Amino acid sequence: EAGRSVDYSIWMDERQTFGIRGLRDGSHEFGSMDIAREIGSVVVDHFKTRAGQRISVDLENPDVEIMAHLSDERFLLMIATSSISLHKRIERPYHHFASLKPSIAAAMLRKSSWKQAGSLLDPMAGSGIIPTEAALQVKNITPGVLADTSMFRFSRLRFLEHDEFLKIRDDYKAGITDRCDINIQAADRFYKSVTGMKENFAHFGLLDDIRLHRGNAENLRYINPGEVKCIVTNPPYGMRIANPGVVKALYKNFARACAEKEIEEIVAVTPRRHHWIVSFTSQGYKLNYLQRFYFGRLNVVMLRLVINDSEHSETQ
């Protein structure tokens, strides 16, 4: 009855394809597939009556995706406008086997003071996601501006004002700057990662904005003392090796190198909270921020340690 009360002709036409995704929460005598089937039949009947022809169904990649969500006694019919998670960035040529999500990288950057410090280094950069996010921010490039709009479902919805969207996108593009006036550097010990990062930076047009090194995070020999004030990184977790002492030694040596190179702030994500904190506090750093979250089936923490704890510490 709820499905038949909707005039689907307002939102779509018979030349488009559609799909139904049924979702159900609570206790019922039927399942999500039953909801999808019933609402799908209603949509087909609507256009057979209105237009005299059957609208096509496409469950894989429809023009219009209708979400039919029943939660206990509350029923919602919704139209998907994105269909993909909005943390997605444009595809990059090289993927590290343990890549960080760009959304987490952006959150880590937000919790650091790299912009105020005027410098940033990721010494265990992998595919370069953290320095890429930083360079995009400096150049005022909203990640969605780079995306092909066809990847979003709203680009196929005829009832939306697409000219208005294009105007908004053009306004954002007008704010993009060619200058990157912050010292952003990236490094990794593995040749494959360094060459892969170079491909990624070139793909985003950032090759001239990020200094790239091949070097070891345990000594940071490629930078001079005081050259970089802030490090944001996603270090190895050591979950796939038999000897956790290897990662413990890495953290210890890295903390010592940070102190020797006069790094003032380190923001990192790791499930090995104890090893990381002990390594840095033994070098005079203080824990300034801790945030627990769930990533890649692991309970991890985002940690910020500073050599000069002038800010009020935060723990969440």
Side-chain angles (χ1 to χ4, degrees):
E1 290 177 0
R4 291 188 186 281
S5 69
V6 175
D7 184 356
Y8 297 96
S9 301
I10 296 174
W11 313 106
M12 52 198 290
D13 62 48
E14 64 277 6
R15 294 165 295 179
Q16 295 181 291
T17 60
F18 84 101
I20 308 289
R21 181 180 297 178
L23 302 168
R24 186 186 62 82
D25 295 317
S27 178
H28 307 92
E29 296 181 354
F30 48 85
S32 299
M33 294 294 292
D34 298 312
I35 296 173
R37 185 183 63 251
E38 291 297 328
I39 298 300
S41 297
V42 166
V43 175
V44 170
D45 290 345
H46 174 89
F47 284 100
K48 285 176 69 175
T49 302
R50 289 290 187 94
Q53 67 182 75
R54 182 184 178 90
I55 189 171
S56 298
V57 176
D58 185 344
L59 299 181
E60 296 296 325
N61 189 27
D63 294 326
V64 181
E65 184 178 31
I66 298 174
M67 320 289 287
H69 185 193
L70 178 65
S71 179
D72 294 324
E73 297 301 315
R74 188 184 188 202
F75 183 60
L76 297 175
L77 275 179
M78 302 170 284
I79 295 176
T81 56
S82 60
S83 78
I84 64 169
S85 296
L86 295 180
H87 77 272
K88 295 282 188 181
R89 306 301 198 252
I90 66 172
E91 193 64 25
R92 61 195 75 220
Y94 173 71
H95 288 269
H96 190 267
F97 71 92
S99 291
L100 189 68
K101 288 183 177 180
S103 54
I104 296 177
M108 295 171 70
L109 289 166
R110 179 174 290 188
K111 274 300 173 184
S112 74
S113 57
W114 65 282
K115 287 184 179 179
Q116 298 92 314
S119 58
L120 171 73
L121 167 66
D122 183 353
M124 295 170 273
S127 60
I129 289 177
I130 291 172
T132 295
E133 288 291 314
L136 291 175
Q137 288 185 27
V138 172
K139 300 183 79 169
N140 202 29
I141 301 175
T142 304
V145 166
L146 302 176
D148 181 353
T149 55
S150 65
M151 67 190 289
F152 298 111
R153 193 76 70 194
F154 69 80
S155 65
R156 309 181 198 178
L157 300 179
R158 64 174 179 82
F159 59 87
L160 294 180
E161 295 290 340
H162 294 284
D163 288 344
E164 181 67 18
F165 164 74
L166 294 175
K167 180 180 180 300
I168 293 170
R169 188 184 64 177
D170 290 343
D171 288 343
Y172 272 101
K173 285 185 174 181
I176 294 175
T177 176
D178 291 330
R179 290 184 6 258
C180 184
D181 51 7
I182 291 183
N183 173 18
I184 302 176
Q185 301 188 43
D188 203 279
R189 65 184 299 182
F190 297 108
Y191 176 79
K192 181 179 180 181
S193 293
V194 173
T195 55
M197 273 192 278
K198 190 172 183 179
E199 288 183 58
N200 286 345
F201 297 158
H203 185 66
F204 280 89
L206 303 174
L207 201 53
D208 295 331
D209 304 307
I210 304 171
R211 287 176 58 192
L212 186 55
H213 310 275
R214 184 183 178 193
N216 198 323
E218 295 184 73
N219 53 52
L220 300 176
R221 288 198 184 108
Y222 46 84
I223 61 171
N224 298 315
E227 179 183 341
V228 173
K229 297 298 183 184
C230 178
I231 282 179
V232 179
T233 191
N234 179 39
Y237 302 163
M239 309 306 289
R240 301 182 183 182
I241 59 176
N243 183 8
V246 173
V247 171
K248 185 177 180 180
L250 167 64
Y251 289 5
K252 182 178 179 181
N253 294 335
F254 174 55
R256 183 188 301 115
C258 287
E260 291 173 353
K261 298 298 182 177
E262 301 174 11
I263 307 297
E264 296 181 356
E265 177 188 70
I266 299 95
V267 175
V269 166
T270 178
R272 298 190 182 277
R273 180 177 82 175
H274 176 73
H275 291 338
W276 192 264
I277 293 175
V278 168
S279 297
F280 280 92
T281 54
S282 67
Q283 297 296 326
Y285 289 88
K286 293 183 179 180
L287 179 65
N288 183 268
Y289 176 81
L290 184 152
Q291 171 70 59
R292 301 174 183 87
F293 64 101
Y294 196 60
F295 171 57
R297 300 183 181 180
L298 291 174
N299 288 306
V300 300
V301 288
M302 184 195 303
L303 301 159
R304 181 175 65 207
L305 290 110
V306 295
I307 200 71
N308 180 17
D309 191 15
S310 59
E311 299 181 34
H312 179 68
S313 63
E314 306 171 74
T315 302
Q316 295 186 13

